[in-house]
Amino acid sequence: MENVHLAVEEDDLYSGYNDYNPTFDSEELENDVGFQQAVRTSHGRRPPMTAKFPGTAIGGRPLVSSFGSRIPMASSMGRPMTGAVQDGAARPMTAVRAAGYSSSLMRGSTFDPLGQSKGPAPPLEAKNEDTAEEKLKILEKKVNDLIEESCMAQSIGALQLALEKAKEAGRKERALIRQREASGNTEHINLDLTYSGEVIKQGSNMATVAESISTQLHSQYEQRKAVLLNLANQYANNEMYPEALNSYHVIVKNKMFTNAGRLKVNMANIYFKQKNYPKAIKFYRMALDQISNNHKELRIKIMQNIGVVFVRLGQYSDAITSFEHIMAESPNIKTGFNLILCYYAIGDRERMKKAFQKLISVPLGIDDEDKYIPASDDPSSNMVIEAIKNDKLHQMERDLKVLAEKYIMTAAKLIAPAIETSFASGFDWCVDMVKCSQYVELANDLEINKAITYLRQKDFNQAVETLKTFEKKDSRVKSAAATNLSFLYFLEKDYDQADRYADLAMNADRYNPAALINKGNTVFVKKDYEKAAEFYKEALRNDSSCTEALYNLGLSYKIMNRLEEGLDCFLKLHSILRNSAEVMYQLAHLYEQLGDPQQAIEWLMQVIGVTPTDPHVLAKLGKLHDDEGDKSQAFQYYSESFRYFPSNIDVIEWLGAYYIETQFCEKAIQYFERATLIQPNFVKWQLIVASCYRRSGNYQKALETYKEIHRRFPENVECLRFLVRLSTDMGLKEVQEYATKLKKAEKMKEIREQRVKSGRENSARGRREGSTGSAAIISTSVLTSPKKSDVTENAKAEPQPEPKQFSPLLDSDSGHSSSSSKGERLSAKMRSLPGSNEPYEASNPKELDASYVDPLGPQMDRPKTGAKKPADDDDFADEDLGDDLLPE
């Protein structure tokens, strides 16, 4: 009995409840050497024990007592012992450990339920990276990281970088396979993968080696598939289609890759991009055969692609079969629209109507917008509504609704002229159908589109009548209709009606930027630029991306000579519309007005990059280069402008004058002859042509040209003077006839000048005397006697293009000082050319003035190559030349 004690003798009734048998601790199995040895043996058995004491637990472990004694434990009622006494072993208890309670506190120990008094845990053992297994794991991780980097690069649009990463991942993966083969680790079992999350019982059988190898090979094949699939995708993204197809073929042909049949969809997409439509259909159908009916959505998408390919092939009946099946199984907006297009292509009116009705009845699965309106004053619910009002899901719903409305509007505009006998009745049918559907608000938009279609058909009255029907409808539709009416009246230059409807549109919707722009335009044409700018600014405040308002605001600032503000507007607009030629031209013009020709040239060069065949921009570049003194560059741009538009009189004049300046009169003739075709009643061009013939030495052609000019303009004094001089030089008998005509022409010119002078004196006298009706009225077509540098007028008295300051024309005054600059000589040439209706200069009637003035200026002297010496200075004058000096 010394080894048996009663419960009443125990100091603590709860002693032993904190101790438990470590045999049942499954968390420590990993550190149990015996258990791990049993796991790694092929038979799953522990080594047999040599002895078994009574009272030991299952597996040969002795039972311990909380007192550490080797005697069996008796209960308080004196029941028999449950185990033998072992050395230093505590009695096993069946109770779980109490939360933080320990009987040792009764014996003076500290309270430490977390075991923090034991000190820090020992450091983890460092992995040995020199082993083949660790090297393979590191290399495998690098492959996975490269795949992730490739995908991330693709997501941000760096397609070339994504392809490089995919190729590098492929190289690393092949190196990984070679290392596995070299190290013989193809059969290595990854315990972390094989036994992850499994509870292995003692004595249970291990998985077979073949099963482990299969698992490992499957993991390797999955990684190989990921590498190849990513590489194929990146090839396809970079439009390297042959390489992408090769990679897809490798994946599809390998039976170890599961679900590889789906990749045939990707291959069919590539064939579609290559316009190999028969092969695309073949691969789509192969993919459809390999995908089970459980994946209904994927099968629907593949069938939709098949229908689109049939449309590209022109096989509308086959496409209709695919689209009808989709609309019966899983209708959607895009397929319904494609079905309408196919019916329209084959001209089936009734089926077009049915397809349109199906299209507007497709459910979108979008919640009502009313749920985003706060219905109570509960701050928490209002906060939730505010949070979900603009989240990505709501944005996706809005985009889907906008897309559906776009398809419905397009389909209605397409089939309206085809389903009925007239366009109007077809549109009315579509409007009635839409009013009975979930898209009721689209009915008004269809009516407005009906009016716009009338505009395209040049039926303005019907368009106006249609738009006027919206004056009594809701504000949004009323504002849109009034905006269109204002625009129509503005185009017809009925600015009062345009202003009225612009006000009506603004009253209906003050935040309508189009209405504000129309209002600003009506004020703009009245030259109230400040007020127009205010309307444009208000339109921009309502819609900061309104490019029309920004453009018009820049024009307003430009006209008001607020060039810097206008420049800011057009620079902002250029940041929005990067390729707008109008915006870049305005910037160039503003820089020219600001006195920065180099910047103007730079912007015009950008305009040429967008519209390389614009002749006016090319001519403007030529003018700027000519102003800068770069004649060769100016000649290049003027020549390009003439090539694209050979009827610009300014360009023709500059090119002809350029050739005259460079002493190539023969080449100048073709340009001035074209000018005579464009302005046949402008005598200046014909006189220049005749002068070019004379300067080039073709006097006969020059004489014929002057005779033709005299026949058409018999009172032209300059032509008669040229004829008198040429006839005298050539010894022609017509010289006296032309001299007589010249005398009469000068007499008529003198009489005309006297009439003009007397008329002006009478008019001035009448104004001084306050006479209102007695003064002679002078026709505005009669010109005063021009000064030496005045520009002559043509016979038609029509406004002529502003003379170019850069025209390289010669001085008409033969007595002009030779020291005058080239620019002065060039600018004076055209001013000397006479017009058919110019006033005559006063001359002495008794003496015949047969002198003439060359329109092209004085002919340049021939360069002297040597001067003849006087006979007296000849050293060999008295000597005879010998026979040896004479030529043979």
Side-chain angles (χ1 to χ4, degrees):
M1 292 296 293
E2 62 181 285
N3 293 330
V4 179
H5 57 277
L6 300 176
V8 293
E9 298 177 2
E10 295 180 358
D11 298 333
D12 188 2
L13 294 176
Y14 300 99
S15 61
Y17 283 92
N18 292 333
D19 299 323
Y20 61 95
N21 194 339
T23 305
F24 304 103
D25 186 6
S26 60
E27 297 179 359
E28 298 296 331
L29 291 178
E30 189 175 313
N31 299 325
D32 193 332
V33 180
F35 180 78
Q36 292 296 330
Q37 185 178 357
V39 169
R40 288 182 173 83
T41 56
S42 60
H43 301 286
R45 298 193 308 268
R46 288 186 63 175
M49 297 188 63
T50 56
K52 187 170 184 180
F53 299 95
T56 55
I58 300 173
R61 292 202 176 194
L63 299 179
V64 295
S65 171
S66 59
F67 295 100
S69 60
R70 296 170 179 251
I71 59 175
M73 188 74 179
S75 66
S76 59
M77 300 300 293
R79 64 180 180 177
M81 296 178 295
T82 58
V85 179
Q86 301 293 335
D87 294 335
R91 182 175 70 87
M93 304 299 294
T94 57
V96 296
R97 188 171 191 175
Y101 177 78
S102 176
S103 60
S104 58
L105 291 175
M106 303 295 293
R107 295 188 290 272
S109 61
T110 59
F111 178 74
D112 186 18
L114 299 179
Q116 297 177 354
S117 61
K118 298 180 180 178
L124 298 175
E125 296 182 1
K127 290 186 178 180
N128 187 7
E129 297 183 358
D130 294 334
T131 62
E133 180 183 354
E134 291 297 329
K135 290 181 179 179
L136 292 176
K137 288 183 179 180
I138 293 172
L139 192 55
E140 184 177 348
K141 185 177 182 303
K142 289 181 180 180
V143 173
N144 293 331
D145 292 342
L146 286 171
I147 294 175
E148 291 181 4
E149 292 174 6
S150 176
C151 295
M152 293 299 296
Q154 177 193 350
S155 64
I156 62 175
L159 301 180
Q160 189 63 33
L161 178 61
L163 179 59
E164 294 298 328
K165 294 290 184 181
K167 289 181 178 179
E168 188 176 356
R171 290 191 293 268
K172 295 282 187 184
E173 194 267 341
R174 288 191 294 271
L176 176 61
I177 293 176
R178 287 194 297 269
Q179 287 192 17
R180 279 178 177 156
E181 293 175 351
S183 61
N185 287 336
T186 56
E187 299 181 359
H188 175 72
I189 301 173
N190 189 344
L191 293 177
D192 294 335
L193 297 176
T194 308
Y195 300 107
S196 175
E198 294 185 5
V199 178
I200 303 176
K201 298 181 180 179
Q202 180 186 355
S204 63
N205 294 327
M206 298 290 294
T208 61
V209 176
E211 202 174 89
S212 300
I213 294 174
S214 176
T215 304
Q216 187 69 15
L217 288 177
H218 179 74
S219 176
Q220 296 174 15
Y221 280 125
E222 287 298 325
Q223 186 183 37
R224 176 66 173 163
K225 178 182 176 181
V227 172
L228 288 175
L229 179 58
N230 181 59
L231 182 60
N233 290 338
Q234 302 310 328
Y235 276 135
N237 292 334
N238 286 271
E239 298 182 357
M240 301 171 67
Y241 298 131
E243 293 83 352
L245 289 173
N246 291 335
S247 300
Y248 283 130
H249 274 298
V250 172
I251 302 174
V252 170
K253 289 181 180 180
N254 197 327
K255 302 302 181 182
M256 292 294 298
F257 296 150
T258 58
N259 299 324
R262 297 188 182 183
L263 298 182
K264 292 182 180 178
V265 177
N266 295 11
M267 300 172 71
N269 291 339
I270 293 176
Y271 286 123
F272 180 82
K273 292 177 182 178
Q274 292 178 333
K275 297 184 179 181
N276 191 352
Y277 300 128
K279 209 158 188 177
I281 291 177
K282 173 184 175 183
F283 274 83
Y284 279 135
R285 286 178 170 169
M286 291 171 63
L288 197 63
D289 293 338
Q290 296 182 10
I291 295 175
S292 64
N293 294 328
N294 296 331
H295 302 87
K296 181 179 178 181
E297 186 176 354
L298 181 58
R299 291 176 61 87
I300 290 295
K301 290 181 179 179
I302 295 175
M303 291 190 67
Q304 186 172 346
N305 288 356
I306 293 174
V308 172
V309 177
F310 277 128
V311 171
R312 292 296 181 92
L313 288 172
Q315 301 177 14
Y316 299 112
S317 58
D318 295 330
I320 288 172
T321 303
S322 297
F323 293 144
E324 285 180 343
H325 176 75
I326 296 173
M327 293 299 290
E329 294 292 331
S330 177
N332 60 80
I333 290 292
K334 188 176 293 185
T335 303
F337 180 72
N338 290 338
L339 186 60
I340 292 176
L341 293 180
C342 293
Y343 287 144
Y344 180 82
I346 63 176
D348 194 333
R349 293 185 177 183
E350 294 301 323
R351 296 172 81 180
M352 270 191 278
K353 290 183 177 181
K354 293 180 180 179
F356 186 77
Q357 292 174 349
K358 288 182 180 179
L359 178 64
I360 60 179
S361 62
V362 172
L364 295 180
I366 298 176
D367 294 333
D368 192 2
E369 291 289 333
D370 295 339
K371 78 172 186 178
Y372 298 106
I373 301 175
S376 62
D377 296 333
D378 185 8
S380 59
S381 61
N382 292 342
M383 189 179 298
V384 172
I385 292 175
E386 191 67 26
I388 66 174
K389 185 182 294 184
N390 292 316
D391 62 353
K392 292 185 178 181
L393 180 60
H394 191 203
Q395 292 175 6
M396 185 185 70
E397 291 178 348
R398 283 200 299 260
D399 294 341
L400 181 59
K401 187 176 181 181
V402 169
L403 182 65
E405 292 176 352
K406 175 186 175 183
Y407 281 141
I408 293 172
M409 293 288 292
T410 307
K413 290 187 288 185
L414 178 67
I415 67 174
I419 58 177
E420 297 291 344
T421 56
S422 66
F423 145 76
S425 57
F427 241 110
D428 292 338
W429 181 88
C430 292
V431 171
D432 293 339
M433 291 297 103
V434 170
K435 286 181 179 179
C436 300
S437 69
Q438 56 183 329
Y439 304 98
V440 182
E441 65 275 6
L442 283 182
N444 294 324
D445 295 336
L446 281 173
E447 291 281 359
I448 293 177
N449 273 278
K450 179 181 176 182
I452 294 174
T453 308
Y454 277 128
L455 288 178
R456 292 196 179 102
Q457 296 177 353
K458 308 298 182 182
D459 193 350
F460 296 101
N461 295 329
Q462 285 291 339
V464 171
E465 291 298 325
T466 304
L467 291 173
K468 284 183 177 180
T469 60
F470 291 95
E471 292 186 9
K472 297 182 180 180
K473 295 192 177 182
D474 58 18
S475 60
R476 185 185 67 86
V477 181
K478 182 178 179 180
S479 177
T483 301
N484 290 332
L485 283 170
S486 175
F487 177 69
L488 285 177
Y489 285 119
F490 187 85
L491 291 180
E492 294 178 351
K493 296 185 179 180
D494 189 351
Y495 300 125
D496 294 333
Q497 287 290 338
D499 186 65
R500 171 176 170 268
Y501 279 101
D503 290 334
L504 184 62
M506 290 170 56
N507 294 333
D509 184 5
R510 184 68 185 182
Y511 299 100
N512 185 357
L516 292 168
I517 292 173
N518 286 344
K519 180 63 177 178
N521 291 343
T522 58
V523 178
F524 187 93
V525 295
K526 296 176 183 177
K527 298 184 179 180
D528 190 353
Y529 304 116
E530 288 284 353
K531 193 173 181 180
E534 291 300 324
F535 283 111
Y536 298 143
K537 288 179 183 177
E538 186 175 355
L540 285 172
R541 285 193 291 269
N542 294 335
D543 184 6
S544 59
S545 62
C546 185
T547 56
E548 295 85 356
L550 193 56
Y551 187 91
N552 293 347
L553 181 62
L555 287 181
S556 302
Y557 284 143
K558 180 181 174 183
I559 294 176
M560 290 186 292
N561 204 28
R562 294 160 62 175
L563 302 181
E564 292 292 343
E565 296 178 61
L567 187 65
D568 291 338
C569 291
F570 285 112
L571 286 174
K572 291 177 183 177
L573 191 58
H574 177 67
S575 64
I576 301 173
L577 306 174
R578 303 295 298 179
N579 294 324
S580 175
E582 294 85 356
V583 175
M584 291 186 282
Y585 185 84
Q586 292 294 338
L587 286 169
H589 195 206
L590 282 169
Y591 276 115
E592 183 185 6
Q593 290 180 320
L594 289 170
D596 192 349
Q598 292 299 326
Q599 281 289 339
I601 290 174
E602 289 294 329
W603 282 105
L604 287 177
M605 291 298 295
Q606 294 190 37
V607 177
I608 291 300
V610 177
T611 57
T613 59
D614 191 328
H616 300 289
V617 177
L618 290 167
K620 188 70 174 178
L621 272 171
K623 178 182 180 302
L624 289 174
H625 281 291
D626 185 65
D627 294 343
E628 292 294 306
D630 191 351
K631 293 285 184 181
S632 60
Q633 198 72 17
F635 172 73
Q636 177 184 350
Y637 287 115
Y638 273 119
S639 300
E640 287 293 310
S641 177
F642 177 79
R643 184 165 68 91
Y644 291 117
F645 183 56
S647 299
N648 190 334
I649 198 69
D650 296 333
V651 175
I652 293 172
E653 180 182 358
W654 193 94
L655 289 171
Y658 175 81
Y659 280 116
I660 292 175
E661 179 189 5
T662 54
Q663 302 299 319
F664 290 102
C665 298
E666 298 86 351
K667 293 185 177 180
I669 291 173
Q670 59 177 337
Y671 293 102
F672 290 117
E673 284 181 344
R674 184 174 290 274
T676 61
L677 296 176
I678 298 172
Q679 296 178 341
N681 295 325
F682 201 15
V683 70
K684 176 177 72 172
W685 308 123
Q686 302 182 40
L687 289 174
I688 293 177
V689 171
S691 297
C692 288
Y693 280 125
R694 183 179 53 79
R695 292 292 299 271
S696 61
N698 194 347
Y699 297 104
Q700 186 63 34
K701 189 67 175 177
L703 181 62
E704 293 175 0
T705 306
Y706 281 126
K707 287 181 179 180
E708 180 65 23
I709 297 172
H710 175 64
R711 186 183 65 81
R712 297 187 59 187
F713 306 97
E715 296 181 356
N716 189 275
V717 176
E718 282 296 324
C719 178
L720 288 170
R721 287 177 182 172
F722 282 122
L723 283 171
V724 170
R725 184 56 185 265
L726 279 176
S727 300
T728 303
D729 294 343
M730 299 176 68
L732 301 178
K733 59 182 179 180
E734 294 94 343
V735 61
Q736 189 61 37
E737 177 185 355
Y738 293 134
T740 305
K741 291 181 178 180
L742 177 61
K743 185 177 180 180
K744 291 181 180 180
E746 289 180 344
K747 183 68 175 178
M748 293 297 296
K749 180 179 180 181
E750 182 179 357
I751 294 173
R752 189 181 301 173
E753 284 183 349
Q754 289 177 357
R755 288 179 179 177
V756 171
K757 184 177 180 180
S758 62
R760 287 187 172 181
E761 290 177 354
N762 292 336
S763 177
R765 189 182 302 111
R767 285 194 299 269
R768 286 195 301 269
E769 294 175 358
S771 175
T772 59
S774 59
I777 299 176
I778 308 299
S779 173
T780 57
S781 62
V782 180
L783 302 180
T784 58
S785 177
K787 297 180 182 179
K788 182 177 180 180
S789 62
D790 286 345
V791 179
T792 59
E793 296 291 325
N794 61 354
K796 295 176 67 175
E798 61 182 3
Q800 295 300 319
E802 183 181 355
K804 303 293 181 183
Q805 299 179 356
F806 54 87
S807 300
L809 305 175
L810 302 179
D811 196 343
S812 61
D813 188 2
S814 59
H816 195 278
S817 174
S818 61
S819 63
S820 63
S821 64
K822 181 185 294 185
E824 294 174 351
R825 295 200 310 273
L826 300 182
S827 61
K829 171 183 172 287
M830 280 300 182
R831 294 196 292 269
S832 69
L833 298 178
S836 63
N837 58 349
E838 70 171 353
Y840 291 90
E841 296 179 358
S843 61
N844 188 358
K846 295 181 180 180
E847 297 180 0
L848 178 63
D849 184 11
S851 62
Y852 72 98
V853 177
D854 191 350
L856 301 182
Q859 189 170 1
M860 295 181 63
D861 296 334
R862 175 179 172 272
K864 297 179 180 181
T865 57
K868 186 177 180 181
K869 294 183 179 181
D872 298 339
D873 295 338
D874 192 356
D875 297 337
F876 301 97
D878 299 333
E879 297 182 5
D880 296 332
L881 296 176
D883 295 337
D884 56 339
L885 297 178
L886 296 176
E888 295 180 358

